[in-house]
Amino acid sequence: MSALLEVKHLKKYFSTHKGVVHAVDDVTFSLDEGKTMGVVGESGCGKSTLGRTIIHLQEPTEGQIIFQGEDVTHLKRKDLDRLRENMQIVFQDPYSSLNPRLSVRDTIAEPLILSHKFKGAALEKEVNRLMELVGIEKRLHNAYPHEMDGGRRQRVGIGRALALNPKFIVCDEPVSALDVSIQAQVLNLLMDLQQENKLTYMFVTHDLSVVRHISDSICVMYLGQLVETCSTEELFKNQLHPYSKALLSAIPSVDIHNPTKRIVIKGEIVSPIDPKPGCRFAARCPYACEACKEPQKLEMISTGHFVSCCRVKEINQLS
Amino acid sequence: MKNITEESKHFLSVQDMVVQYRSEGKVVMAVNGVSFDLDKGKTIGLVGETGAGKTSIAKAIMRILPDHSTYQNSGKVMLDQEDIMSIPEQEMRKLRGHKLSMIFQDPMTALNPVKSVAEQIAEAVRLHSDSNKVQAMKRAKDMLELVGISADRANEYPHQFSGGMKQRVVIAMALACDPMLLIADEPTTALDVTIQAQVLEMINALKEKLNTSMIMITHDLGVVAETCDTVAVIYAGQVIEYGAKEDIFDRPAHPYTVGLFKALPGMNKSSRRLSPIVGMPPDPTDLPSGCSFSPRCPYADDACKRDAVGMQEITPGHTCRCLKAPL
């Protein structure tokens, strides 16, 4: 099976008065159709920027985005519209991502109208089908966002994203603002929709238990760079990068009899403005040495398992 | 007489707390008869989802409920054998910060943006002790060091600190006057996991050092597992299950508690589908009759919907507000 999406050496820099922010710095991965890739990392690591750059909400600074075998890195307006039908996004905050002046019907109908594919009765039928698909009650047809709770609003956001039958959806922290019991409903919905429609997800989140549940593979990001990527199972069983180890050990465990052995890392994430070459985690890393000041390369350790750390073999006692 | 001796056993005892707000002509029943006890040096977790009434309970104990919208606030809060609900506000003001203090959820808004962090902590110190300006500043710097912020940064302003650092400043301020009771309202919710790990570790160490009692308010069961001794599960303004941490995590009795655990990703490894709790929490302006969880409960029958359900003992120290429990 060929990859639905390939991202090669993608960079997204922002110029600010303080310097250049390296939000996404040389990220490479590929994603197969029908799969879910989780992107994890802490605030400011560039995971949302990565998602937004891939679907062209922001123009990439450098690198290549290949979607369905076609280079879509730089597109003209007309081609962009066509691409957007296939690439959609569900945003984090269901309280601010919906237009407060559009009803549920109007929110979901808008992309259908703009695409010129539906009109009149067919349009209304399609809106109703989408509402049913994402589990919004018919009585809420004319309701406005402020009249609904977070879970329902997020369903509306998902309905709108699905309207044009996309192949690829970036889910940017779609359940972070929701309570556990509601979060479970929305995660189930996303998984059901994926199965029925062969959707491919890029699931951006800081919640590792959610990502473990929903993803086939995971990218761990730190300050704009990919530090480790492999299958979900492999990451939770055999994480190799010192940052991945610290990140996974930091999740508070609900198992009161087997508390996680915590690796508490010192300090906080440093500024992504004009970073020095070399490993960006080095300042907090317990294994940092001279060699870490050199630029790091993503290296294959085993099939499908890539790590960007010059001491990875030594730390994990691999041959 | 028996009642008094029983009360005095506990460092903190909250009894029949009721908080109601007025909103748009309706009465919001935020807290509906909450009771729990806490011993010296121990931590109780108040767990529940958004709108369950957790923060209202904390604010009622601190007596900082908003005057204009509070419709009713009754109940008894015994702290160190003193009924702090009935003392005059002037007296209460002396207790706040000194005997009990609170860490607020959002470090970004809890600090004064136009005062340096040391000044803010020193202000709290001066209010609650006889120390002069110099002594208070010294204390503020010591507190900052204690929470892992170098005293060199004492004269910086909140915007110069990151989220995790700001939360440390808030914690330093709350601990500056050696409170005997610390109320932490979602202290790590706004933080990243690695920073959360640092802050939780620090809170645990400080608590041990100062023998502070703590109320930990959170929706994160992982945080509860790591910090609490006892747990009260809150639903629609009531404690629906109460017991030692082991009781709640190993033998949850209330269908809501059981549902919360089942809804957690990663708990049920055999299935990819999660088991959400159906429906939504009730509208606090229009609570259902009988058990407030009954409309969402798979075990509910007519009896559950008829009369208010009382707390019943499952095992000694483990109580539950359910007619069907243990399931």
Side-chain angles (χ1 to χ4, degrees):
Chain A
M1 188 161 55
S2 70
L4 178 83
L5 175 73
E6 272 183 272
V7 170
K8 290 178 183 169
H9 305 291
L10 190 70
K11 291 184 185 176
K12 176 66 198 175
Y13 293 174
F14 296 99
S15 298
T16 67
H17 63 279
K18 284 181 184 166
V20 179
V21 177
H22 293 223
V24 174
D25 213 351
D26 200 6
V27 169
T28 300
F29 67 85
S30 76
L31 181 54
D32 288 339
E33 188 167 2
K35 299 285 183 197
T36 300
M37 185 184 79
V39 180
V40 298
E42 299 179 270
S43 7
C45 74
K47 53 192 193 302
S48 290
T49 306
L50 177 64
R52 286 166 195 227
T53 308
I54 288 170
I55 64 161
H56 285 83
L57 288 181
Q58 287 149 353
E59 192 69 8
T61 308
E62 236 178 76
Q64 239 187 343
I65 303 165
I66 296 162
F67 185 69
Q68 293 182 304
E70 182 192 355
D71 188 336
V72 296
T73 320
H74 302 284
L75 285 180
K76 294 204 184 77
R77 183 76 229 174
K78 202 176 76 203
D79 298 319
L80 202 54
D81 286 348
R82 191 169 45 82
L83 182 76
R84 289 255 168 82
E85 287 181 15
N86 278 320
M87 282 183 160
Q88 281 294 329
I89 183 165
V90 175
F91 291 100
Q92 169 169 11
D93 184 0
Y95 295 88
S96 62
S97 60
L98 298 179
N99 185 336
R101 299 174 69 170
L102 291 187
S103 65
V104 171
R105 182 260 166 207
D106 292 344
T107 302
I108 296 178
E110 195 176 45
L112 298 170
I113 296 168
L114 288 174
S115 76
H116 307 292
K117 281 187 181 159
F118 293 91
K119 254 189 216 153
L123 175 69
E124 298 312 319
K125 207 177 143 199
E126 184 61 12
V127 170
N128 288 334
R129 185 188 74 83
L130 285 161
M131 280 180 66
E132 202 185 319
L133 188 68
V134 294
I136 305 169
E137 298 91 327
K138 269 210 181 96
R139 66 180 169 84
L140 294 173
H141 195 264
N142 293 315
Y144 286 86
H146 75 269
E147 298 173 273
M148 291 180 291
D149 57 81
R152 288 208 180 81
R153 280 187 232 202
Q154 201 53 295
R155 285 171 192 270
V156 174
I158 294 170
R160 180 180 162 97
L162 283 174
L164 296 175
N165 205 11
K167 290 203 164 58
F168 174 69
I169 298 181
V170 173
C171 303
D172 189 1
E173 306 258 17
V175 295
S176 309
L178 308 176
D179 273 318
V180 208
S181 67
I182 312 301
Q183 168 181 303
Q185 295 174 9
V186 173
L187 287 177
N188 277 346
L189 171 69
L190 285 170
M191 287 189 291
D192 290 344
L193 292 170
Q194 177 169 44
Q195 273 197 335
E196 286 158 28
N197 304 298
K198 279 211 179 124
L199 290 169
T200 309
Y201 291 144
M202 178 172 149
F203 206 95
V204 177
T205 181
H206 68 280
D207 188 329
L208 289 142
S209 49
V210 166
V211 93
R212 180 181 197 170
H213 188 81
I214 202 163
S215 310
D216 300 293
S217 63
I218 295 182
C219 291
V220 182
M221 284 184 72
Y222 190 81
L223 267 179
Q225 294 181 323
L226 196 60
V227 297
E228 184 162 3
T229 176
C230 59
S231 73
T232 304
E233 210 188 336
E234 174 81 1
L235 184 77
F236 279 86
K237 216 169 52 191
N238 187 28
Q239 71 290 120
L240 299 175
H241 195 284
Y243 177 65
S244 311
K245 287 176 194 279
L247 186 68
L248 294 186
S249 82
I251 318 167
S253 163
V254 287
D255 187 345
I256 56 172
H257 302 292
N258 298 305
T260 31
K261 284 193 194 73
R262 180 152 299 158
I263 307 161
V264 175
I265 42 175
K266 298 165 296 185
E268 312 203 8
I269 207 157
V270 295
S271 158
I273 297 172
D274 297 323
K276 293 192 185 77
C279 175
R280 290 183 189 170
F281 183 58
R284 302 171 77 189
C285 180
Y287 304 101
C289 66
E290 265 316 292
C292 301
K293 289 181 183 161
E294 301 295 314
Q296 307 286 311
K297 259 195 267 161
L298 204 60
E299 206 185 332
M300 187 161 96
I301 303 298
S302 56
T303 315
H305 195 159
F306 296 85
V307 183
S308 162
C309 172
C310 60
R311 296 189 69 188
V312 61
K313 286 183 176 157
E314 192 185 332
I315 293 164
N316 296 287
Q317 285 151 5
L318 304 171
S319 53
Chain B
M1 263 326 270
K2 187 177 170 277
N3 237 343
I4 294 166
T5 43
E6 226 165 66
E7 275 170 16
S8 58
K9 275 199 313 202
H10 301 290
F11 175 65
L12 170 77
S13 182
V14 175
Q15 290 156 27
D16 281 319
M17 179 181 283
V18 172
V19 179
Q20 296 177 351
Y21 301 107
R22 240 187 328 250
S23 169
E24 294 174 10
K26 288 178 187 161
V27 176
V28 180
M29 315 239 261
V31 182
N32 306 301
V34 162
S35 306
F36 61 86
D37 301 318
L38 180 62
D39 290 329
K40 193 94 195 82
K42 298 284 181 197
T43 300
I44 184 169
L46 303 187
V47 198
E49 297 182 281
T50 317
K54 308 183 294 286
T55 302
S56 293
I57 296 171
K59 287 188 171 169
I61 295 173
M62 291 293 290
R63 286 188 39 190
I64 51 169
L65 288 166
D67 281 338
H68 59 280
S69 58
T70 305
Y71 176 72
Q72 204 198 337
N73 176 21
S74 63
K76 204 169 171 188
V77 178
M78 297 293 293
L79 178 72
D80 206 11
Q81 345 244 340
E82 185 178 11
D83 184 353
I84 59 168
M85 287 295 262
S86 58
I87 58 173
E89 173 59 27
Q90 286 247 295
E91 292 289 308
M92 187 65 200
R93 208 172 260 191
K94 287 183 192 151
L95 296 186
R96 275 190 219 115
H98 170 56
K99 243 183 177 170
L100 72 170
S101 75
M102 184 160 169
I103 301 170
F104 293 90
Q105 171 166 7
D106 187 357
M108 320 303 161
T109 55
L111 295 171
N112 184 343
V114 296
K115 271 194 166 167
S116 77
V117 293
E119 270 180 284
Q120 300 189 40
I121 300 172
E123 188 181 22
V125 174
R126 290 194 71 191
L127 270 174
H128 297 291
S129 65
D130 321 319
S131 46
N132 61 33
K133 220 170 180 174
V134 180
Q135 289 167 325
M137 270 314 253
K138 164 113 190 22
R139 174 78 181 153
K141 285 179 183 169
D142 290 347
M143 286 314 293
L144 286 172
E145 293 273 357
L146 188 70
V147 297
I149 296 175
S150 153
D152 303 344
R153 300 194 63 183
N155 294 321
E156 292 184 16
Y157 291 84
H159 75 271
Q160 292 169 289
F161 292 90
S162 67
M165 300 276 256
K166 269 188 247 182
Q167 191 60 293
R168 283 159 193 260
V169 173
V170 173
I171 293 169
M173 197 186 301
L175 290 172
C177 301
D178 296 327
M180 297 151 93
L181 173 69
L182 183 63
I183 303 175
D185 187 3
E186 307 260 11
T188 57
T189 305
L191 307 177
D192 278 319
V193 275
T194 59
I195 309 300
Q196 165 172 292
Q198 291 173 2
V199 171
L200 288 181
E201 194 126 310
M202 191 191 83
I203 291 180
N204 274 340
L206 289 176
K207 212 181 67 187
E208 212 157 283
K209 201 166 143 197
L210 308 170
N211 199 29
T212 312
S213 305
M214 186 157 101
I215 300 177
M216 174 65 97
I217 296 173
T218 180
H219 66 276
D220 187 330
L221 290 162
V223 171
V224 174
E226 294 206 350
T227 55
C228 300
D229 303 294
T230 53
V231 181
V233 184
I234 316 283
Y235 186 80
Q238 285 186 313
V239 177
I240 53 106
E241 188 163 1
Y242 179 52
K245 176 171 69 182
E246 290 74 19
D247 290 330
I248 306 292
F249 280 74
D250 292 344
R251 299 170 290 276
H254 197 283
Y256 175 67
T257 318
V258 174
L260 267 189
F261 279 106
K262 274 197 190 152
L264 283 182
M267 287 310 284
N268 186 355
K269 290 186 179 85
S270 61
S271 157
R272 257 191 50 113
R273 272 193 79 80
L274 296 164
S275 320
I277 302 172
V278 292
M280 305 299 286
D283 176 359
T285 63
D286 182 24
L287 291 174
S289 62
C291 166
S292 49
F293 186 62
S294 62
R296 302 173 76 186
C297 180
Y299 308 98
D301 59 19
D302 290 345
C304 299
K305 290 174 184 169
R306 209 165 38 230
D307 303 313
V309 180
M311 284 297 254
Q312 31 191 320
E313 191 165 76
I314 309 286
T315 51
H318 182 190
T319 52
C320 171
R321 198 180 288 279
C322 177
L323 296 174
K324 308 280 175 190
L327 297 168

